[in-house]
Amino acid sequence: MNIVILTGAGISAESGIKTFRGNDGLWENHRVEDVATPEAYCANPELVLSFYNARRHALLNTGIQPNAAHTALARLQYSHHDVTLITQNVDNLHERGGSPSVLHMHGELLKQICTGCADVTLIEWAQTVRDVCACCSAVGTLRPDIVWFGEMPKLMDEIYSALDRADVFVAIGTSGRVYPAAGFVEVASASGAHTIEINLEASDVAPAFAEHRIGPASEQVVEWVNELLAD
Ligand code: OAD
């Protein structure tokens, strides 16, 4: 069976990473448009870099661990099913939970990109505006390899081709507020896939799903994977 899974911030919430919405519209005390747009980076690169430096530091240094939902999805990926795992999350908890392949459509916190030569490298430390690109030697051109609002998500050809082939599409812990990800359910439905939403509560696009499993990802995802693997 071709299974396409889309995860959002809700799958990492029980690991201790705050979701984007639900805190009075603020994300770690910042308005998203002040830290997650190209305009914000242009206006105040120090603030944007320090925001992502803090997120990276927390991911690496505060004992954040994958939870049962991440590891259940990894188990499913190692089964006889053909599983495409797409995430909007920039953390590395799917990989640390054992997932062999993850499509990070919004980029990754532990990668940086040079705006001069497009070289992408791993980063586990704090970025500064004076950093030098190891590839082209330009100064101040390295930024987090994160898709900000107004920028094009990554891997879209691969994602749409997986959605076209999907027998089952599952969205886990995502509010359905951000497109194009929020529209994947419509694409999968049009391809004839059975669609399932797993969330603490109904999302903004809940009516587009055929099946709803309400509850914490650490319980609902594990239950769903166990059912699939028992079939
Ligand atoms: P949101 O913060 O918008 O939504 C999180 C969703 O997870 C909500 O629908 C919650 O109900 C649900 N949720 C919370 N805890 C949960 C739990 N324990 N189990 C199951 N569900 C739970 O996050 P996203 O939808 O991922 O983009 O946000 C999408 C994009 O908007 C992000 O990738 C980011 C953001 O701004 C960029 O940075 C480009």
Side-chain angles (χ1 to χ4, degrees):
M1 189 158 51
N2 282 324
I3 302 171
V4 178
I5 300 165
L6 170 69
T7 64
I11 197 166
S12 296
E14 290 164 83
S15 295
I17 299 180
K18 285 207 179 101
T19 59
F20 298 95
R21 297 169 184 84
N23 306 298
D24 298 330
L26 296 182
W27 178 23
E28 298 282 1
N29 300 322
H30 291 277
R31 294 187 316 154
V32 165
E33 55 270 35
D34 290 340
V35 289
T37 61
E39 293 78 15
Y41 181 64
C42 198
N44 193 345
E46 283 91 354
L47 171 74
V48 174
L49 292 189
S50 78
F51 176 79
Y52 285 100
N53 287 342
R55 306 280 75 72
R56 188 180 308 112
H57 180 84
L59 181 62
L60 294 172
N61 296 295
T62 58
I64 288 170
Q65 297 293 335
N67 64 55
H70 296 105
T71 52
L73 294 184
R75 214 156 30 93
L76 187 60
Q77 284 186 286
Y78 279 107
S79 73
H80 59 286
H81 295 296
D82 182 336
V83 179
T84 302
L85 177 57
I86 307 161
T87 189
Q88 298 167 89
N89 299 342
V90 298
D91 64 52
N92 62 352
L93 295 183
H94 283 303
E95 287 87 348
R96 281 164 58 195
S99 280
S101 148
V102 187
L103 301 180
H104 279 275
M105 64 179 288
H106 288 168
E108 293 173 71
L109 204 44
L110 300 185
K111 287 188 179 165
Q112 60 182 354
I113 184 164
C114 173
T115 54
C117 69
D119 189 46
V120 174
T121 41
L122 293 174
I123 178 165
E124 294 197 339
W125 50 88
Q127 283 187 295
T128 76
V129 291
R130 295 169 305 284
D131 286 351
V132 180
C133 174
C135 181
C136 70
S137 302
V139 180
T141 52
L142 292 167
R143 57 163 271 188
D145 191 17
I146 302 254
V147 176
W148 287 325
F149 283 93
E151 297 183 324
M152 187 65 86
K154 297 171 184 284
L155 305 162
M156 294 311 289
D157 288 348
E158 200 174 332
I159 290 171
Y160 281 118
S161 111
L163 289 168
D164 282 344
R165 296 189 311 270
D167 300 307
V168 175
F169 171 73
V170 190
I172 302 166
T174 177
S175 60
R177 300 254 180 98
V178 176
Y179 284 81
F184 290 172
V185 59
E186 302 283 2
V187 179
S189 284
S191 315
H194 176 59
T195 55
I196 307 171
E197 176 171 87
I198 300 179
N199 202 304
L200 269 187
E201 58 190 20
S203 77
D204 282 18
V205 290
F209 287 86
E211 183 181 339
H212 299 89
R213 290 169 174 243
I214 300 288
S218 63
E219 292 171 14
Q220 293 297 323
V221 173
V222 173
E223 206 172 295
W224 172 68
V225 168
N226 285 345
E227 283 171 25
L228 259 182
L229 295 182
D231 274 351

